[in-house]
Amino acid sequence: EEDRAWDPTGTTCYEDLQLGLSLIKMLIDDVAAQNPDMGQIIRLLADGYQKKEILEIVKLNKGKTQGYAFIEKAQSLAKEIYLNNYC
C-alpha cells in the first residue's frame, strides 16, 4: 500500500504543462479578440507551422514581404499582451 501513497516530493510536470498550455490558449484568444487573422497566425506558430506555410494558409491579401511583416506584427502584439497581462 505504500507504493500508492501520495508523494510530496513527486513531480509537478503535468500540472506545469497544463498550465502552460492554458496560458498559450488564453494568449491566442486575447490576440484573436484584437485581430482574428493575428490570432490565427499565433495559433499556427504555436502548432509549429513555418512562416512560409502560414502565408499559404492565412489569406492576408498581402504580398510576400507584407505578409512576413504582418506575422512579425502579430508576434509583437502577442508579446505585448503577454507582458501586460500574464507577467
Side-chain angles (χ1 to χ4, degrees), residues 6-67:
W6 177 71
D7 179 8
T9 63
T11 181
T12 62
C13 68
Y14 297 113
E15 291 84 0
D16 295 343
L17 177 61
Q18 186 58 44
L19 179 64
L21 293 173
S22 295
L23 182 108
I24 291 170
K25 183 185 179 323
M26 290 187 315
L27 177 61
I28 291 169
D29 290 344
D30 288 345
V31 172
Q34 291 193 26
N35 185 305
D37 286 336
M38 288 185 177
Q40 184 179 9
I41 287 168
I42 298 301
R43 181 173 288 111
L44 291 168
L45 287 169
D47 287 343
Y49 286 86
Q50 299 296 314
K51 292 178 182 179
K52 179 182 178 183
E53 296 170 309
I54 292 170
L55 291 178
E56 294 170 2
I57 295 169
V58 181
K59 303 301 179 198
L60 297 174
N61 298 321
K62 298 178 185 298
K64 185 176 178 181
T65 301
Q66 290 176 326

